[in-house]
């Protein structure tokens, strides 16, 4: 069993906190933090800020005197890369800096790395230890891991309902079921995702913007960086996207996913991009959609949509993390129900595992995942 010192454990916890600072800005890249340890002290710390910026290992090397870096220990939340991307290979940077030991939380799932960085360090006679707080590092980069292994982003499903499981009144009124604290909490989920998906009916009925309001919600981005808006994906099989609405007025890219080629004035003006998706039973194939988003380097995607689309996600077992906000209201039997699924018998009902329940202002947040049985 690999042994880690108390200082290395402390440094890794610090590195994980640093990595989280890039939660809203690293985009397609993993969230990574690093510390340099020497003579019983943490002598440098840093994190990856955004694509094109130095990786965490390079960040800590740059800020430290070269004589101090030599014979130090680098504690980092993800395996140092061994390939040239937008920046140089971090494994080689550590070798050139003369570090004596590298402590890594988890191996990089990127096929371009996948153990090669660790092997390169060991070949240079650097002591390498792996596995310290690996679960925490994995959780921080669940989207990057999903895209590297499965080719698709990590899927969040967000919904809000009254205490009796209703999402809207019979006439469609649903604004606002939850309170301001829950709505700010949703902004944090939106902020960590590189794409938000909804259906055309939600666009036509609710007229949402689906943007991230960083300042209003207290989302903090690293100094010197401007937060980007996620890609907003509209599923519109029959090409009904209107010419004007709040979605189109708000800044940020829009992907218009249709079942056939349709003309739209804003497509000609390059305000929106159209992607014609394959259909499955007359509906956009969600599995192919997720693969397309993975191809576009989307690590995490949030579905905020109506009951039909969310029900399809559940039935197709495409949900990685469900978040349900319960408001202290009762809408009654004529109101619209939560998810449009229709198991024929109890044994066919999707099993849900409740992970935690906690208060968010006046509302309750329930985190859930799909169970192993359908």
């Amino acid at each position: 069993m690999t042994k880690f010192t108390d200082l290395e454990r402390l440094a890794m916890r610090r590195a994980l906190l640093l990595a989280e600072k890039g939660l809203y800005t690293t985009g397609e890249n993993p969230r990574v933090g690093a510390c340099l340890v020497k003579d019983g002290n943490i002598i440098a710390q840093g994190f990856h800020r955004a694509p094109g910026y130095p990786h965490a290992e390079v960040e800590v090397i740059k800020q430290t005197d070269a004589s101090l870096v030599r014979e130090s220990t680098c504690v980092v939340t993800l395996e140092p890369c061994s390939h040239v991307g937008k920046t140089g290979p971090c494994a080689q940077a550590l070798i050139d800096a003369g570090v004596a030991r590298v402590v890594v939380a988890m191996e990089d799932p990127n096929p371009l790395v996948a153990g090669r960085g660790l092997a390169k360090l060991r070949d240079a006679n650097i002591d390498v230890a792996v596995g310290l707080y690996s679960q925490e590092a994995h959780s921080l980069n669940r989207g990057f891991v999903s895209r590297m292994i499965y080719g698709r982003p990590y899927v969040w499903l967000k919904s809000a309902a009254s205490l009796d499981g209703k999402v809207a009144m019979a006439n469609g009124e649903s604004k606002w079921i939850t309170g301001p604290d829950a709505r700010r909490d949703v902004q944090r989920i939106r902020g960590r995702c590189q794409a938000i998906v909804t259906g055309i009916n939600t666009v036509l009925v609710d007229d949402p913007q689906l943007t991230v309001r960083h300042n209003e919600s207290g989302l903090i981005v690293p100094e010197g960086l401007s937060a980007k808006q996620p890609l907003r994906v509209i599923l519109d099989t029959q090409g009904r996207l209107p010419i004007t609405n709040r979605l189109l007025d708000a800044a940020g890219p829009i992907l218009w996913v249709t079942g056939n080629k349709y003309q739209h004035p804003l497509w000609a003006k390059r305000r929106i991009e159209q992607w014609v998706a394959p259909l499955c039973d007359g509906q956009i194939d969600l599995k192919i959609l997720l693969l397309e988003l993975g191809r576009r380097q989307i690590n995490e995607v949030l579905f905020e949509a109506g009951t039909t689309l969310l029900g399809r996600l559940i039935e197709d077992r495409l949900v990685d993390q469900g978040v349900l906000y319960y408001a202290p209201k009762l809408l009654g039997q004529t109101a619209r129900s939560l998810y449009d699924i229709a198991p024929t018998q109890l044994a066919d009902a999707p099993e849900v595992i409740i992970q935690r329940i906690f208060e968010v202002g006046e509302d309750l947040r329930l985190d859930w995942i799909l169970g192993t049985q359908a």
Side-chain angles (χ1 to χ4, degrees), residues 296-353:
R296 292 168 180 261
Q297 297 188 306
I298 301 297
N299 286 342
E300 298 185 45
V301 58
L302 172 63
F303 279 77
E304 288 194 64
T307 60
T308 300
L309 179 53
L310 297 187
R312 286 182 60 205
L313 280 171
I314 293 171
E315 289 184 328
D316 290 347
R317 305 193 61 77
L318 296 175
V319 180
D320 294 306
Q321 180 66 65
V323 176
L324 171 59
Y325 297 93
Y326 270 122
K329 297 179 175 71
L330 298 172
L331 301 190
Q333 63 179 3
T334 61
R336 300 180 182 181
S337 297
L338 191 53
Y339 303 125
D340 187 2
I341 57 176
T344 56
Q345 53 187 355
L346 187 59
D348 297 327
E351 178 187 344
V352 168
I353 298 173

Side-chain angles (χ1 to χ4, degrees), residues 9-327:
R9 294 179 183 277
L10 176 64
M12 187 62 81
R13 290 197 295 270
R14 179 59 185 159
L16 287 165
L17 289 173
L18 289 165
E20 198 167 354
K21 289 188 174 185
L23 190 66
Y24 307 120
T25 55
T26 52
E28 71 271 18
N29 288 355
R31 297 146 184 158
V32 184
C35 293
L36 285 179
V37 173
K38 190 174 184 181
D39 298 330
N41 295 297
I42 297 175
I43 61 173
Q45 57 185 18
F47 65 100
H48 178 52
R49 298 169 182 271
Y53 280 73
H55 289 185
E57 302 94 320
V58 174
E59 186 76 18
V60 295
I61 291 172
K62 283 172 48 182
Q63 63 181 260
T64 313
D65 185 89
S67 62
L68 289 175
V69 178
R70 283 192 293 274
E71 298 302 315
S72 67
T73 294
C74 180
V75 177
V76 60
T77 59
L78 186 69
E79 174 186 1
C81 61
S82 56
H83 66 291
V84 177
K86 293 181 180 179
T87 59
C90 295
Q92 188 61 52
L94 292 170
I95 293 170
D96 294 342
V99 301
R101 176 171 161 88
V102 178
V103 177
V104 177
M106 63 174 285
E107 186 175 303
D108 192 335
N110 187 341
L112 295 175
V113 186
R116 293 182 180 87
L118 302 176
K120 190 176 185 71
L121 294 171
R122 291 185 175 114
D123 288 345
N125 295 316
I126 294 175
D127 184 28
V128 176
V130 184
L132 180 59
Y133 295 119
S134 60
Q135 290 184 343
E136 289 81 355
H138 186 284
S139 177
L140 191 61
N141 284 305
R142 60 187 78 175
F144 180 75
V145 171
S146 177
R147 182 165 66 85
M148 289 298 109
I149 295 178
Y150 305 113
R152 71 165 181 84
Y154 186 91
V155 175
W156 292 78
L157 184 154
K158 170 261 172 181
S159 48
S162 62
L163 200 58
D164 52 349
K166 306 296 183 177
V167 299
M169 301 300 292
N171 62 3
E173 180 188 357
S174 62
K175 206 173 186 177
W176 298 94
I177 288 180
T178 56
D181 292 302
R183 296 198 292 274
R184 279 191 292 269
D185 195 56
V186 172
Q187 293 294 313
R188 286 187 280 272
I189 301 175
R190 285 184 183 180
R192 66 177 294 156
C193 294
Q194 293 78 54
I196 301 174
V197 180
T198 195
I200 186 62
N201 287 335
T202 297
V203 173
L204 295 174
V205 173
D206 294 341
D207 195 18
Q209 285 189 318
L210 297 180
T211 53
V212 181
R213 295 179 284 280
H214 294 84
N215 293 335
E216 294 178 30
S217 306
L219 275 62
I220 300 174
V221 300
E223 185 177 356
L225 291 182
S226 299
K228 294 182 178 180
Q229 289 294 340
L231 174 69
R232 290 166 296 163
V233 182
I234 313 304
L235 307 190
D236 183 13
T237 308
Q238 298 176 349
R240 295 184 291 153
L241 184 68
I243 298 175
T244 59
N245 58 28
R246 296 177 70 243
L247 185 88
L248 298 168
D249 292 340
I254 297 173
L255 179 63
W256 183 36
V257 181
T258 61
N260 292 288
K261 192 72 174 178
Y262 294 103
Q263 296 300 316
H264 195 287
L266 295 182
W267 175 73
K269 295 179 181 179
R270 299 183 184 276
R271 174 64 184 94
I272 60 176
E273 177 188 355
Q274 183 178 182
W275 179 61
V276 179
L279 300 180
C280 180
D281 296 329
Q283 298 176 311
I284 290 166
D285 190 319
L286 297 180
K287 293 179 181 178
I288 301 298
L289 170 68
L290 291 176
L291 291 175
E292 173 64 18
L293 293 180
R295 190 188 67 79
R296 292 168 180 261
Q297 297 188 306
I298 301 297
N299 286 342
E300 298 185 45
V301 58
L302 172 63
F303 279 77
E304 288 194 64
T307 60
T308 300
L309 179 53
L310 297 187
R312 286 182 60 205
L313 280 171
I314 293 171
E315 289 184 328
D316 290 347
R317 305 193 61 77
L318 296 175
V319 180
D320 294 306
Q321 180 66 65
V323 176
L324 171 59
Y325 297 93
Y326 270 122

